[in-house]
Amino acid sequence: MAALSEVSSNRSFGGYQKVFSHDSKELRCKMKFAVYLPPQVEDGKLPVIYWLSGLECTEQNFIMKSGVQRYASEHGIIIVAPDTSPRGCNIPGEDDSYDFGTGAGFYLDAIKEPWSENYRMFSYITKELPEVINSNFATVEESQSIMGHSMGGHGALICVLKNPGKYRSVSTFSAICNPSIGAWGQKAFSGYLGPAESASWADWDATELVKKYSGPPLEILLDQGKADPRLETDLFPENFVNACKESEIPVILHMRDGYDHSYYYIASFIEEHIKHHAKYLKA
């Protein structure tokens, strides 16, 4: 297991908001992740929520803007927020646009060269990172949940649907629910997976995956702002909800009047989401 290097540590709501770096075997680069350790960690092992951020983000956005530390401290839950992509891999074109390459790993395992060597965020999030967290912090290994925003909402959904039973619960804000038909998703899938005719697209599209989900019972919580400018071009939560209903999988969709795609929106409802996850993590 690669050694961790502490990048920063700040006291917050009785616990510590920390950032670490380590050498990732999956991504073949140095990665950073943030971890909030609530005060209850001094008394024993705690459950974990993984947060996946959206396009252009790093490990910093969620921990600085959401206010999650207050609620993680109240409920005694560790929060882990990784970076959104490999960085500094020297791949031609990786820094050319905000929605592909650096900061836009899309939480899948790329199969198209030259991205396939480094851009393996799905395996990093579902395999390597939990091993790092469970080896270095006081966690209850079988008690973990996942949530995310936008591209990270897409990531949270596919992590759950492709790993039945691995997570206790899942929730999203402004998730890219049907990436095969949206501008953001089509650009990412074309670059990382190949042409649209490829069967691999359906393997990474939450709306397609939920149609064949056959794992343990799962209640999915989606949160969406009605004033989100990307709602009709990239997100498509209704498509996912309809697929859930056809597959008889419980799903909740909160449509929030006047809220957009920003962290002002996330901060407004993050407490509800932490309470939702706490219900399952401590059952």
Side-chain angles (χ1 to χ4, degrees), residues 33-68:
F33 65 85
V35 57
Y36 177 69
L37 303 172
Q40 296 92 330
V41 79
E42 301 294 333
D43 300 320
K45 295 184 176 182
L46 299 178
V48 182
I49 298 175
Y50 289 87
W51 167 271
L52 306 183
S53 290
L55 291 167
E56 298 187 277
C57 292
T58 69
E59 78 289 341
Q60 289 291 321
N61 297 71
F62 182 63
I63 63 173
M64 293 184 69
K65 298 178 180 180
S66 69
V68 70

PDB file of all heavy atoms in Angstrom, residues 33-68:
ATOM      1  N   PHE A  33      -6.668  13.314  -2.204  1.00  0.00           N
ATOM      2  CA  PHE A  33      -8.039  13.149  -1.745  1.00  0.00           C
ATOM      3  C   PHE A  33      -8.187  13.899  -0.424  1.00  0.00           C
ATOM      4  O   PHE A  33      -7.235  14.037   0.341  1.00  0.00           O
ATOM      5  CB  PHE A  33      -8.424  11.677  -1.576  1.00  0.00           C
ATOM      6  CG  PHE A  33      -7.665  10.934  -0.514  1.00  0.00           C
ATOM      7  CD1 PHE A  33      -8.068  10.968   0.815  1.00  0.00           C
ATOM      8  CD2 PHE A  33      -6.546  10.187  -0.847  1.00  0.00           C
ATOM      9  CE1 PHE A  33      -7.368  10.285   1.804  1.00  0.00           C
ATOM     10  CE2 PHE A  33      -5.839   9.497   0.130  1.00  0.00           C
ATOM     11  CZ  PHE A  33      -6.247   9.542   1.451  1.00  0.00           C
ATOM     12  N   ALA A  34      -9.395  14.398  -0.184  1.00  0.00           N
ATOM     13  CA  ALA A  34      -9.721  15.043   1.084  1.00  0.00           C
ATOM     14  C   ALA A  34     -10.463  14.046   1.956  1.00  0.00           C
ATOM     15  O   ALA A  34     -11.231  13.216   1.464  1.00  0.00           O
ATOM     16  CB  ALA A  34     -10.591  16.274   0.839  1.00  0.00           C
ATOM     17  N   VAL A  35     -10.224  14.114   3.260  1.00  0.00           N
ATOM     18  CA  VAL A  35     -10.952  13.259   4.194  1.00  0.00           C
ATOM     19  C   VAL A  35     -11.302  14.065   5.431  1.00  0.00           C
ATOM     20  O   VAL A  35     -10.432  14.714   6.021  1.00  0.00           O
ATOM     21  CB  VAL A  35     -10.144  11.993   4.555  1.00  0.00           C
ATOM     22  CG1 VAL A  35      -8.783  12.337   5.145  1.00  0.00           C
ATOM     23  CG2 VAL A  35     -10.924  11.106   5.528  1.00  0.00           C
ATOM     24  N   TYR A  36     -12.593  14.093   5.767  1.00  0.00           N
ATOM     25  CA  TYR A  36     -13.020  14.728   7.005  1.00  0.00           C
ATOM     26  C   TYR A  36     -13.174  13.650   8.063  1.00  0.00           C
ATOM     27  O   TYR A  36     -13.923  12.674   7.893  1.00  0.00           O
ATOM     28  CB  TYR A  36     -14.344  15.476   6.852  1.00  0.00           C
ATOM     29  CG  TYR A  36     -14.793  16.075   8.173  1.00  0.00           C
ATOM     30  CD1 TYR A  36     -14.092  17.136   8.748  1.00  0.00           C
ATOM     31  CD2 TYR A  36     -15.878  15.550   8.874  1.00  0.00           C
ATOM     32  CE1 TYR A  36     -14.465  17.659   9.985  1.00  0.00           C
ATOM     33  CE2 TYR A  36     -16.263  16.075  10.104  1.00  0.00           C
ATOM     34  CZ  TYR A  36     -15.541  17.134  10.653  1.00  0.00           C
ATOM     35  OH  TYR A  36     -15.907  17.642  11.875  1.00  0.00           O
ATOM     36  N   LEU A  37     -12.465  13.836   9.180  1.00  0.00           N
ATOM     37  CA  LEU A  37     -12.506  12.908  10.301  1.00  0.00           C
ATOM     38  C   LEU A  37     -13.253  13.576  11.450  1.00  0.00           C
ATOM     39  O   LEU A  37     -12.739  14.493  12.093  1.00  0.00           O
ATOM     40  CB  LEU A  37     -11.080  12.548  10.736  1.00  0.00           C
ATOM     41  CG  LEU A  37     -10.194  11.943   9.640  1.00  0.00           C
ATOM     42  CD1 LEU A  37      -8.763  11.812  10.127  1.00  0.00           C
ATOM     43  CD2 LEU A  37     -10.747  10.588   9.196  1.00  0.00           C
ATOM     44  N   PRO A  38     -14.491  13.168  11.708  1.00  0.00           N
ATOM     45  CA  PRO A  38     -15.278  13.802  12.769  1.00  0.00           C
ATOM     46  C   PRO A  38     -14.724  13.434  14.136  1.00  0.00           C
ATOM     47  O   PRO A  38     -13.931  12.493  14.269  1.00  0.00           O
ATOM     48  CB  PRO A  38     -16.676  13.218  12.557  1.00  0.00           C
ATOM     49  CG  PRO A  38     -16.435  11.899  11.920  1.00  0.00           C
ATOM     50  CD  PRO A  38     -15.226  12.081  11.046  1.00  0.00           C
ATOM     51  N   PRO A  39     -15.124  14.141  15.177  1.00  0.00           N
ATOM     52  CA  PRO A  39     -14.551  13.891  16.512  1.00  0.00           C
ATOM     53  C   PRO A  39     -14.794  12.475  17.021  1.00  0.00           C
ATOM     54  O   PRO A  39     -13.992  11.949  17.792  1.00  0.00           O
ATOM     55  CB  PRO A  39     -15.245  14.935  17.400  1.00  0.00           C
ATOM     56  CG  PRO A  39     -16.429  15.407  16.628  1.00  0.00           C
ATOM     57  CD  PRO A  39     -16.057  15.282  15.188  1.00  0.00           C
ATOM     58  N   GLN A  40     -15.865  11.810  16.572  1.00  0.00           N
ATOM     59  CA  GLN A  40     -16.186  10.463  17.063  1.00  0.00           C
ATOM     60  C   GLN A  40     -15.153   9.427  16.641  1.00  0.00           C
ATOM     61  O   GLN A  40     -15.123   8.315  17.172  1.00  0.00           O
ATOM     62  CB  GLN A  40     -17.565  10.035  16.543  1.00  0.00           C
ATOM     63  CG  GLN A  40     -18.714  10.876  17.043  1.00  0.00           C
ATOM     64  CD  GLN A  40     -19.034  12.034  16.109  1.00  0.00           C
ATOM     65  OE1 GLN A  40     -18.158  12.564  15.419  1.00  0.00           O
ATOM     66  NE2 GLN A  40     -20.298  12.433  16.085  1.00  0.00           N
ATOM     67  N   VAL A  41     -14.281   9.788  15.697  1.00  0.00           N
ATOM     68  CA  VAL A  41     -13.276   8.827  15.234  1.00  0.00           C
ATOM     69  C   VAL A  41     -12.284   8.479  16.342  1.00  0.00           C
ATOM     70  O   VAL A  41     -11.611   7.446  16.294  1.00  0.00           O
ATOM     71  CB  VAL A  41     -12.545   9.379  13.982  1.00  0.00           C
ATOM     72  CG1 VAL A  41     -11.478  10.399  14.360  1.00  0.00           C
ATOM     73  CG2 VAL A  41     -11.926   8.249  13.169  1.00  0.00           C
ATOM     74  N   GLU A  42     -12.214   9.329  17.358  1.00  0.00           N
ATOM     75  CA  GLU A  42     -11.336   9.044  18.495  1.00  0.00           C
ATOM     76  C   GLU A  42     -11.852   7.890  19.350  1.00  0.00           C
ATOM     77  O   GLU A  42     -11.102   7.301  20.126  1.00  0.00           O
ATOM     78  CB  GLU A  42     -11.191  10.298  19.373  1.00  0.00           C
ATOM     79  CG  GLU A  42     -10.620  11.511  18.664  1.00  0.00           C
ATOM     80  CD  GLU A  42      -9.177  11.304  18.234  1.00  0.00           C
ATOM     81  OE1 GLU A  42      -8.477  10.504  18.897  1.00  0.00           O
ATOM     82  OE2 GLU A  42      -8.755  11.917  17.236  1.00  0.00           O
ATOM     83  N   ASP A  43     -13.129   7.559  19.190  1.00  0.00           N
ATOM     84  CA  ASP A  43     -13.747   6.547  20.044  1.00  0.00           C
ATOM     85  C   ASP A  43     -13.986   5.213  19.353  1.00  0.00           C
ATOM     86  O   ASP A  43     -14.440   4.255  19.982  1.00  0.00           O
ATOM     87  CB  ASP A  43     -15.082   7.064  20.580  1.00  0.00           C
ATOM     88  CG  ASP A  43     -14.908   8.335  21.396  1.00  0.00           C
ATOM     89  OD1 ASP A  43     -13.932   8.402  22.160  1.00  0.00           O
ATOM     90  OD2 ASP A  43     -15.752   9.238  21.251  1.00  0.00           O
ATOM     91  N   GLY A  44     -13.727   5.132  18.053  1.00  0.00           N
ATOM     92  CA  GLY A  44     -13.952   3.863  17.361  1.00  0.00           C
ATOM     93  C   GLY A  44     -14.149   4.046  15.877  1.00  0.00           C
ATOM     94  O   GLY A  44     -14.059   5.158  15.345  1.00  0.00           O
ATOM     95  N   LYS A  45     -14.433   2.948  15.202  1.00  0.00           N
ATOM     96  CA  LYS A  45     -14.578   2.971  13.750  1.00  0.00           C
ATOM     97  C   LYS A  45     -15.903   3.592  13.330  1.00  0.00           C
ATOM     98  O   LYS A  45     -16.921   3.458  14.013  1.00  0.00           O
ATOM     99  CB  LYS A  45     -14.470   1.547  13.208  1.00  0.00           C
ATOM    100  CG  LYS A  45     -13.090   0.917  13.409  1.00  0.00           C
ATOM    101  CD  LYS A  45     -13.025  -0.459  12.772  1.00  0.00           C
ATOM    102  CE  LYS A  45     -11.625  -1.038  12.903  1.00  0.00           C
ATOM    103  NZ  LYS A  45     -11.509  -2.361  12.248  1.00  0.00           N
ATOM    104  N   LEU A  46     -15.873   4.253  12.166  1.00  0.00           N
ATOM    105  CA  LEU A  46     -17.043   4.982  11.680  1.00  0.00           C
ATOM    106  C   LEU A  46     -17.358   4.614  10.230  1.00  0.00           C
ATOM    107  O   LEU A  46     -16.480   4.175   9.483  1.00  0.00           O
ATOM    108  CB  LEU A  46     -16.790   6.494  11.759  1.00  0.00           C
ATOM    109  CG  LEU A  46     -16.529   7.095  13.135  1.00  0.00           C
ATOM    110  CD1 LEU A  46     -16.244   8.582  13.005  1.00  0.00           C
ATOM    111  CD2 LEU A  46     -17.711   6.854  14.077  1.00  0.00           C
ATOM    112  N   PRO A  47     -18.618   4.812   9.816  1.00  0.00           N
ATOM    113  CA  PRO A  47     -18.972   4.620   8.402  1.00  0.00           C
ATOM    114  C   PRO A  47     -18.403   5.739   7.542  1.00  0.00           C
ATOM    115  O   PRO A  47     -17.954   6.775   8.049  1.00  0.00           O
ATOM    116  CB  PRO A  47     -20.504   4.660   8.425  1.00  0.00           C
ATOM    117  CG  PRO A  47     -20.848   5.468   9.632  1.00  0.00           C
ATOM    118  CD  PRO A  47     -19.780   5.175  10.645  1.00  0.00           C
ATOM    119  N   VAL A  48     -18.432   5.522   6.235  1.00  0.00           N
ATOM    120  CA  VAL A  48     -17.808   6.442   5.273  1.00  0.00           C
ATOM    121  C   VAL A  48     -18.791   6.801   4.163  1.00  0.00           C
ATOM    122  O   VAL A  48     -19.519   5.938   3.664  1.00  0.00           O
ATOM    123  CB  VAL A  48     -16.556   5.807   4.625  1.00  0.00           C
ATOM    124  CG1 VAL A  48     -15.881   6.795   3.665  1.00  0.00           C
ATOM    125  CG2 VAL A  48     -15.571   5.337   5.677  1.00  0.00           C
ATOM    126  N   ILE A  49     -18.788   8.065   3.769  1.00  0.00           N
ATOM    127  CA  ILE A  49     -19.464   8.494   2.542  1.00  0.00           C
ATOM    128  C   ILE A  49     -18.401   8.997   1.576  1.00  0.00           C
ATOM    129  O   ILE A  49     -17.580   9.848   1.923  1.00  0.00           O
ATOM    130  CB  ILE A  49     -20.491   9.605   2.794  1.00  0.00           C
ATOM    131  CG1 ILE A  49     -21.605   9.118   3.716  1.00  0.00           C
ATOM    132  CG2 ILE A  49     -21.083  10.088   1.462  1.00  0.00           C
ATOM    133  CD1 ILE A  49     -22.604  10.217   4.100  1.00  0.00           C
ATOM    134  N   TYR A  50     -18.419   8.478   0.363  1.00  0.00           N
ATOM    135  CA  TYR A  50     -17.550   8.968  -0.702  1.00  0.00           C
ATOM    136  C   TYR A  50     -18.323  10.008  -1.517  1.00  0.00           C
ATOM    137  O   TYR A  50     -19.460   9.771  -1.922  1.00  0.00           O
ATOM    138  CB  TYR A  50     -17.106   7.818  -1.610  1.00  0.00           C
ATOM    139  CG  TYR A  50     -16.120   6.900  -0.937  1.00  0.00           C
ATOM    140  CD1 TYR A  50     -16.559   5.831  -0.148  1.00  0.00           C
ATOM    141  CD2 TYR A  50     -14.756   7.103  -1.064  1.00  0.00           C
ATOM    142  CE1 TYR A  50     -15.660   5.003   0.493  1.00  0.00           C
ATOM    143  CE2 TYR A  50     -13.841   6.275  -0.432  1.00  0.00           C
ATOM    144  CZ  TYR A  50     -14.300   5.228   0.344  1.00  0.00           C
ATOM    145  OH  TYR A  50     -13.401   4.404   0.989  1.00  0.00           O
ATOM    146  N   TRP A  51     -17.680  11.150  -1.728  1.00  0.00           N
ATOM    147  CA  TRP A  51     -18.264  12.215  -2.536  1.00  0.00           C
ATOM    148  C   TRP A  51     -17.477  12.356  -3.834  1.00  0.00           C
ATOM    149  O   TRP A  51     -16.242  12.461  -3.817  1.00  0.00           O
ATOM    150  CB  TRP A  51     -18.236  13.564  -1.805  1.00  0.00           C
ATOM    151  CG  TRP A  51     -18.543  14.709  -2.711  1.00  0.00           C
ATOM    152  CD1 TRP A  51     -17.649  15.443  -3.458  1.00  0.00           C
ATOM    153  CD2 TRP A  51     -19.840  15.255  -3.008  1.00  0.00           C
ATOM    154  NE1 TRP A  51     -18.303  16.401  -4.193  1.00  0.00           N
ATOM    155  CE2 TRP A  51     -19.646  16.302  -3.936  1.00  0.00           C
ATOM    156  CE3 TRP A  51     -21.127  14.953  -2.570  1.00  0.00           C
ATOM    157  CZ2 TRP A  51     -20.707  17.056  -4.435  1.00  0.00           C
ATOM    158  CZ3 TRP A  51     -22.191  15.703  -3.071  1.00  0.00           C
ATOM    159  CH2 TRP A  51     -21.979  16.739  -3.980  1.00  0.00           C
ATOM    160  N   LEU A  52     -18.178  12.357  -4.971  1.00  0.00           N
ATOM    161  CA  LEU A  52     -17.542  12.528  -6.272  1.00  0.00           C
ATOM    162  C   LEU A  52     -17.959  13.874  -6.864  1.00  0.00           C
ATOM    163  O   LEU A  52     -19.150  14.132  -7.079  1.00  0.00           O
ATOM    164  CB  LEU A  52     -17.965  11.391  -7.212  1.00  0.00           C
ATOM    165  CG  LEU A  52     -17.747   9.963  -6.697  1.00  0.00           C
ATOM    166  CD1 LEU A  52     -18.141   8.952  -7.777  1.00  0.00           C
ATOM    167  CD2 LEU A  52     -16.314   9.741  -6.247  1.00  0.00           C
ATOM    168  N   SER A  53     -16.981  14.720  -7.136  1.00  0.00           N
ATOM    169  CA  SER A  53     -17.251  16.065  -7.638  1.00  0.00           C
ATOM    170  C   SER A  53     -17.403  16.081  -9.162  1.00  0.00           C
ATOM    171  O   SER A  53     -17.143  15.089  -9.850  1.00  0.00           O
ATOM    172  CB  SER A  53     -16.130  17.018  -7.216  1.00  0.00           C
ATOM    173  OG  SER A  53     -16.168  17.256  -5.832  1.00  0.00           O
ATOM    174  N   GLY A  54     -17.803  17.242  -9.665  1.00  0.00           N
ATOM    175  CA  GLY A  54     -18.093  17.399 -11.082  1.00  0.00           C
ATOM    176  C   GLY A  54     -16.952  17.974 -11.890  1.00  0.00           C
ATOM    177  O   GLY A  54     -15.814  18.107 -11.421  1.00  0.00           O
ATOM    178  N   LEU A  55     -17.265  18.320 -13.129  1.00  0.00           N
ATOM    179  CA  LEU A  55     -16.289  18.831 -14.081  1.00  0.00           C
ATOM    180  C   LEU A  55     -15.515  20.022 -13.531  1.00  0.00           C
ATOM    181  O   LEU A  55     -16.089  20.888 -12.862  1.00  0.00           O
ATOM    182  CB  LEU A  55     -16.984  19.254 -15.377  1.00  0.00           C
ATOM    183  CG  LEU A  55     -17.575  18.127 -16.228  1.00  0.00           C
ATOM    184  CD1 LEU A  55     -18.504  18.709 -17.288  1.00  0.00           C
ATOM    185  CD2 LEU A  55     -16.463  17.313 -16.880  1.00  0.00           C
ATOM    186  N   GLU A  56     -14.233  20.057 -13.813  1.00  0.00           N
ATOM    187  CA  GLU A  56     -13.303  21.130 -13.440  1.00  0.00           C
ATOM    188  C   GLU A  56     -12.908  21.129 -11.970  1.00  0.00           C
ATOM    189  O   GLU A  56     -12.063  21.904 -11.552  1.00  0.00           O
ATOM    190  CB  GLU A  56     -13.874  22.510 -13.788  1.00  0.00           C
ATOM    191  CG  GLU A  56     -14.125  22.738 -15.261  1.00  0.00           C
ATOM    192  CD  GLU A  56     -14.514  24.171 -15.555  1.00  0.00           C
ATOM    193  OE1 GLU A  56     -15.716  24.489 -15.386  1.00  0.00           O
ATOM    194  OE2 GLU A  56     -13.650  24.981 -15.942  1.00  0.00           O
ATOM    195  N   CYS A  57     -13.535  20.274 -11.170  1.00  0.00           N
ATOM    196  CA  CYS A  57     -13.276  20.296  -9.732  1.00  0.00           C
ATOM    197  C   CYS A  57     -12.023  19.510  -9.350  1.00  0.00           C
ATOM    198  O   CYS A  57     -11.533  18.676 -10.106  1.00  0.00           O
ATOM    199  CB  CYS A  57     -14.468  19.725  -8.972  1.00  0.00           C
ATOM    200  SG  CYS A  57     -15.954  20.740  -9.043  1.00  0.00           S
ATOM    201  N   THR A  58     -11.553  19.787  -8.142  1.00  0.00           N
ATOM    202  CA  THR A  58     -10.511  18.995  -7.497  1.00  0.00           C
ATOM    203  C   THR A  58     -11.093  18.455  -6.197  1.00  0.00           C
ATOM    204  O   THR A  58     -12.309  18.527  -5.968  1.00  0.00           O
ATOM    205  CB  THR A  58      -9.268  19.844  -7.194  1.00  0.00           C
ATOM    206  OG1 THR A  58      -9.591  20.788  -6.154  1.00  0.00           O
ATOM    207  CG2 THR A  58      -8.783  20.591  -8.430  1.00  0.00           C
ATOM    208  N   GLU A  59     -10.219  17.968  -5.321  1.00  0.00           N
ATOM    209  CA  GLU A  59     -10.671  17.516  -3.995  1.00  0.00           C
ATOM    210  C   GLU A  59     -11.106  18.671  -3.108  1.00  0.00           C
ATOM    211  O   GLU A  59     -11.707  18.458  -2.048  1.00  0.00           O
ATOM    212  CB  GLU A  59      -9.565  16.706  -3.314  1.00  0.00           C
ATOM    213  CG  GLU A  59      -8.442  17.517  -2.702  1.00  0.00           C
ATOM    214  CD  GLU A  59      -7.504  18.178  -3.706  1.00  0.00           C
ATOM    215  OE1 GLU A  59      -7.492  17.738  -4.882  1.00  0.00           O
ATOM    216  OE2 GLU A  59      -6.781  19.105  -3.325  1.00  0.00           O
ATOM    217  N   GLN A  60     -10.867  19.909  -3.556  1.00  0.00           N
ATOM    218  CA  GLN A  60     -11.118  21.074  -2.718  1.00  0.00           C
ATOM    219  C   GLN A  60     -12.542  21.608  -2.780  1.00  0.00           C
ATOM    220  O   GLN A  60     -13.059  22.127  -1.794  1.00  0.00           O
ATOM    221  CB  GLN A  60     -10.154  22.198  -3.102  1.00  0.00           C
ATOM    222  CG  GLN A  60      -8.713  21.956  -2.715  1.00  0.00           C
ATOM    223  CD  GLN A  60      -8.503  21.998  -1.220  1.00  0.00           C
ATOM    224  OE1 GLN A  60      -9.085  22.805  -0.504  1.00  0.00           O
ATOM    225  NE2 GLN A  60      -7.668  21.089  -0.728  1.00  0.00           N
ATOM    226  N   ASN A  61     -13.208  21.509  -3.919  1.00  0.00           N
ATOM    227  CA  ASN A  61     -14.483  22.208  -4.109  1.00  0.00           C
ATOM    228  C   ASN A  61     -15.533  21.845  -3.071  1.00  0.00           C
ATOM    229  O   ASN A  61     -16.151  22.715  -2.450  1.00  0.00           O
ATOM    230  CB  ASN A  61     -15.020  21.937  -5.510  1.00  0.00           C
ATOM    231  CG  ASN A  61     -14.109  22.470  -6.591  1.00  0.00           C
ATOM    232  OD1 ASN A  61     -13.023  21.926  -6.806  1.00  0.00           O
ATOM    233  ND2 ASN A  61     -14.511  23.521  -7.270  1.00  0.00           N
ATOM    234  N   PHE A  62     -15.748  20.561  -2.891  1.00  0.00           N
ATOM    235  CA  PHE A  62     -16.794  20.111  -1.973  1.00  0.00           C
ATOM    236  C   PHE A  62     -16.482  20.465  -0.528  1.00  0.00           C
ATOM    237  O   PHE A  62     -17.348  20.933   0.218  1.00  0.00           O
ATOM    238  CB  PHE A  62     -16.972  18.601  -2.119  1.00  0.00           C
ATOM    239  CG  PHE A  62     -18.056  18.026  -1.249  1.00  0.00           C
ATOM    240  CD1 PHE A  62     -19.380  18.406  -1.417  1.00  0.00           C
ATOM    241  CD2 PHE A  62     -17.758  17.085  -0.273  1.00  0.00           C
ATOM    242  CE1 PHE A  62     -20.380  17.862  -0.629  1.00  0.00           C
ATOM    243  CE2 PHE A  62     -18.748  16.537   0.519  1.00  0.00           C
ATOM    244  CZ  PHE A  62     -20.062  16.929   0.352  1.00  0.00           C
ATOM    245  N   ILE A  63     -15.244  20.268  -0.112  1.00  0.00           N
ATOM    246  CA  ILE A  63     -14.918  20.504   1.296  1.00  0.00           C
ATOM    247  C   ILE A  63     -14.910  21.991   1.641  1.00  0.00           C
ATOM    248  O   ILE A  63     -15.108  22.368   2.795  1.00  0.00           O
ATOM    249  CB  ILE A  63     -13.584  19.844   1.694  1.00  0.00           C
ATOM    250  CG1 ILE A  63     -12.409  20.450   0.920  1.00  0.00           C
ATOM    251  CG2 ILE A  63     -13.658  18.345   1.485  1.00  0.00           C
ATOM    252  CD1 ILE A  63     -11.043  19.962   1.392  1.00  0.00           C
ATOM    253  N   MET A  64     -14.715  22.851   0.652  1.00  0.00           N
ATOM    254  CA  MET A  64     -14.666  24.285   0.907  1.00  0.00           C
ATOM    255  C   MET A  64     -16.025  24.962   0.767  1.00  0.00           C
ATOM    256  O   MET A  64     -16.258  26.001   1.384  1.00  0.00           O
ATOM    257  CB  MET A  64     -13.668  24.960  -0.037  1.00  0.00           C
ATOM    258  CG  MET A  64     -12.219  24.566   0.205  1.00  0.00           C
ATOM    259  SD  MET A  64     -11.060  25.472  -0.860  1.00  0.00           S
ATOM    260  CE  MET A  64     -11.201  27.125  -0.162  1.00  0.00           C
ATOM    261  N   LYS A  65     -16.934  24.399  -0.019  1.00  0.00           N
ATOM    262  CA  LYS A  65     -18.159  25.118  -0.382  1.00  0.00           C
ATOM    263  C   LYS A  65     -19.457  24.506   0.140  1.00  0.00           C
ATOM    264  O   LYS A  65     -20.482  25.191   0.175  1.00  0.00           O
ATOM    265  CB  LYS A  65     -18.261  25.217  -1.917  1.00  0.00           C
ATOM    266  CG  LYS A  65     -17.130  25.997  -2.567  1.00  0.00           C
ATOM    267  CD  LYS A  65     -17.285  26.005  -4.077  1.00  0.00           C
ATOM    268  CE  LYS A  65     -16.175  26.790  -4.760  1.00  0.00           C
ATOM    269  NZ  LYS A  65     -16.333  26.790  -6.233  1.00  0.00           N
ATOM    270  N   SER A  66     -19.446  23.239   0.531  1.00  0.00           N
ATOM    271  CA  SER A  66     -20.719  22.572   0.828  1.00  0.00           C
ATOM    272  C   SER A  66     -21.175  22.699   2.276  1.00  0.00           C
ATOM    273  O   SER A  66     -22.362  22.570   2.568  1.00  0.00           O
ATOM    274  CB  SER A  66     -20.610  21.083   0.485  1.00  0.00           C
ATOM    275  OG  SER A  66     -19.730  20.424   1.394  1.00  0.00           O
ATOM    276  N   GLY A  67     -20.234  22.911   3.208  1.00  0.00           N
ATOM    277  CA  GLY A  67     -20.577  22.914   4.615  1.00  0.00           C
ATOM    278  C   GLY A  67     -20.823  21.528   5.186  1.00  0.00           C
ATOM    279  O   GLY A  67     -21.412  21.384   6.269  1.00  0.00           O
ATOM    280  N   VAL A  68     -20.345  20.504   4.507  1.00  0.00           N
ATOM    281  CA  VAL A  68     -20.637  19.125   4.910  1.00  0.00           C
ATOM    282  C   VAL A  68     -20.046  18.767   6.269  1.00  0.00           C
ATOM    283  O   VAL A  68     -20.577  17.892   6.979  1.00  0.00           O
ATOM    284  CB  VAL A  68     -20.129  18.139   3.831  1.00  0.00           C
ATOM    285  CG1 VAL A  68     -18.604  18.081   3.804  1.00  0.00           C
ATOM    286  CG2 VAL A  68     -20.711  16.754   4.049  1.00  0.00           C
TER     287      VAL A  68
END
